[in-house]
Amino acid sequence: MTTYHCPGCGTISPVDSATWCCPHCRGPWDLDFTASPVPLTALPGRVNSLWRYEEALPLSAPATSLGEGRTPLVPLTGTVSAKLDFLTPTLSFKDRGAVMLAELARRLEAQGVIARVIADSSGNAGTAVAAYCARARLDCTVYVPEATSAKKLEQIQAHGARLELVPGDREATADAARAAADLPGVFYASHVYNPYFLHGTKTYVYEMWEDLGGRLPEAIVVPVGNGTLLLGAAQALTELHTHGLIDSRPQLIAVQAQAVSPLAAAFRAGADGLLAAPPAAPTPAAPTPAAPTLAEGIAIPNPPRARQILRAVREWGGTFLTVTEDELRAAQRDLAARGLFVESTGVACWAAAGTWTDRTAVVPLCGAGLKTGLAP
């Protein structure tokens, strides 16, 4: 195993300490790991999962794999293709990172470092962690907002994980999980704070590169909440470019729901981090809970890796786009009419399609429509 390092203050920690964040600034970890070049010509005949890119991964020979990855790339228009990342074991792209976290936790548990796993999620990441912990025979608890889709809750429980329903929004759920993460013997399988997750999601781009014969499209468009797919994509782009495996530099385009778009606002303001929030209005005595957007999976008002996300989009010549609730509804129905039933978060990039259909692009369809149903 390698070491964690904090990009904020430079603190270093061994991976087998199971420390979930920097103990000094409480920021998320990065990983001291250098990928080796992945030989395109050697890939035929390798295992048909994301583990075929073994040179680029910080873990190898997994016991937890469910065959994740290698999802189809399907044309939508003459220039735009969709990567069907809802065709994974738990029906969302979060499987790519969850398998890395569960494999790491399995090894730490075997060493006696940890005894149980916790995670927090709006649904998909929690489901993925629950499934892979079941595969690894790990004790697992998942914290979710109380308004989480009943179908996602059922899926988490089906894998044997305990549910902790947290009153309030996604931020309240994360706070509850982080408090539990500080207890002894706990591995926090955080898709936000643990960088192993990002090394799983980066395989999304490696697959695209392989399927396009060692090329990439002019634009890679991803939905962004906590930014785990975007940061994984940026990592893969950096590795492929550094190793001379791609000549061009694709644009990295980020999409947020207009209702919850702190990163888009910061990008447009030219800021390096999130903008300061305006003073909060007085809280009513009995507030009425409401989902701020149909794209619940990216409704993150304060992403911990905000600075890294903004830097990555600028480094790869990209931009931020936002989509309305009506555009999300229309995009979900349009994709369904094309034979693809995708959950309302997963259609965000297609909802923004009119902005960049003048160039070759790939959009991820990140979660199956069965998880939430058709948006009203």
Side-chain angles (χ1 to χ4, degrees):
M1 293 184 184
T2 183
T3 58
Y4 294 133
H5 79 269
C6 175
C9 68
T11 297
I12 294 174
S13 175
V15 169
D16 61 9
S17 70
T19 305
W20 67 269
C21 71
C22 174
H24 298 295
C25 68
R26 304 290 281 183
W29 291 121
D30 280 350
L31 195 65
D32 285 322
F33 168 76
T34 301
S36 297
V38 174
L40 186 64
T41 55
L43 292 176
R46 286 191 179 183
V47 61
N48 194 35
S49 71
L50 62 81
W51 298 95
R52 67 200 279 113
Y53 310 110
E54 57 186 357
E55 295 89 350
L57 296 174
L59 295 173
S60 61
T64 52
S65 177
L66 291 167
E68 55 287 330
R70 300 296 294 140
T71 55
L73 195 61
V74 175
L76 291 177
T77 71
T79 56
V80 180
S81 294
K83 189 152 174 59
L84 309 191
D85 248 30
F86 62 87
L87 298 180
T88 58
T90 76
L91 308 181
S92 90
F93 87 95
K94 296 289 175 61
D95 289 354
R96 294 183 182 274
V99 67
M100 301 292 288
L101 296 184
E103 181 61 26
L104 177 59
R106 184 189 67 81
R107 299 181 188 196
L108 294 176
E109 195 256 358
Q111 297 171 20
V113 175
I114 62 108
R116 64 192 184 97
V117 175
I118 67 167
D120 64 289
S121 170
S122 60
N124 285 342
T127 297
V129 170
Y132 284 95
C133 282
R135 179 74 164 177
R137 297 288 188 261
L138 294 167
D139 182 276
C140 180
T141 300
V142 180
Y143 291 73
V144 294
E146 60 183 0
T148 299
S149 160
K151 295 178 181 180
K152 292 181 180 180
L153 299 182
E154 181 180 11
Q155 193 177 6
I156 292 170
Q157 289 180 302
H159 294 305
R162 287 183 296 277
L163 272 175
E164 289 285 347
L165 297 178
V166 181
D169 60 11
R170 183 67 181 82
E171 290 293 298
T173 302
D175 289 343
R178 290 167 195 165
D182 287 326
L183 297 175
V186 171
F187 178 79
Y188 183 23
S190 172
H191 58 292
V192 182
Y193 279 79
N194 193 301
Y196 278 88
F197 195 94
L198 306 181
H199 283 277
T201 61
K202 76 181 181 185
T203 59
Y204 170 86
V205 169
Y206 274 94
E207 289 176 17
M208 192 189 310
W209 166 77
E210 180 184 358
D211 289 344
L212 293 176
R215 298 179 297 105
L216 287 172
E218 295 170 281
I220 296 173
V221 191
V222 292
V224 176
N226 275 310
T228 54
L229 183 56
L230 182 138
L231 290 173
Q235 181 68 37
L237 290 173
T238 298
E239 291 170 1
L240 289 167
H241 194 264
T242 298
H243 295 142
L245 297 173
I246 54 172
D247 297 325
S248 61
R249 291 179 58 86
Q251 274 192 300
L252 196 51
I253 299 176
V255 180
Q256 293 204 288
Q258 190 177 89
V260 186
S261 51
L263 290 161
F267 183 87
R268 290 166 185 164
D272 294 331
L274 297 179
L275 303 178
T283 303
T288 302
T293 174
L294 294 169
E296 62 180 10
I298 55 173
I300 309 296
N302 189 31
R305 293 187 185 269
R307 288 182 175 274
Q308 291 174 280
I309 296 166
L310 291 165
R311 185 167 60 247
V313 172
R314 291 185 174 115
E315 180 182 349
W316 289 95
T319 190
F320 273 84
L321 305 173
T322 59
V323 292
T324 67
E325 301 304 291
D326 285 344
E327 287 170 332
L328 288 167
R329 291 185 185 92
Q332 189 184 38
R333 284 168 169 75
D334 180 71
L335 285 170
R338 297 169 185 261
L340 301 166
F341 188 27
V342 183
E343 68 171 326
S344 48
T345 295
V347 305
C349 293
W350 185 239
T355 308
W356 38 260
T357 48
D358 60 333
R359 72 203 86 166
T360 58
V362 170
V363 301
L365 303 184
C366 296
L370 294 175
K371 285 174 171 282
T372 56
L374 195 64

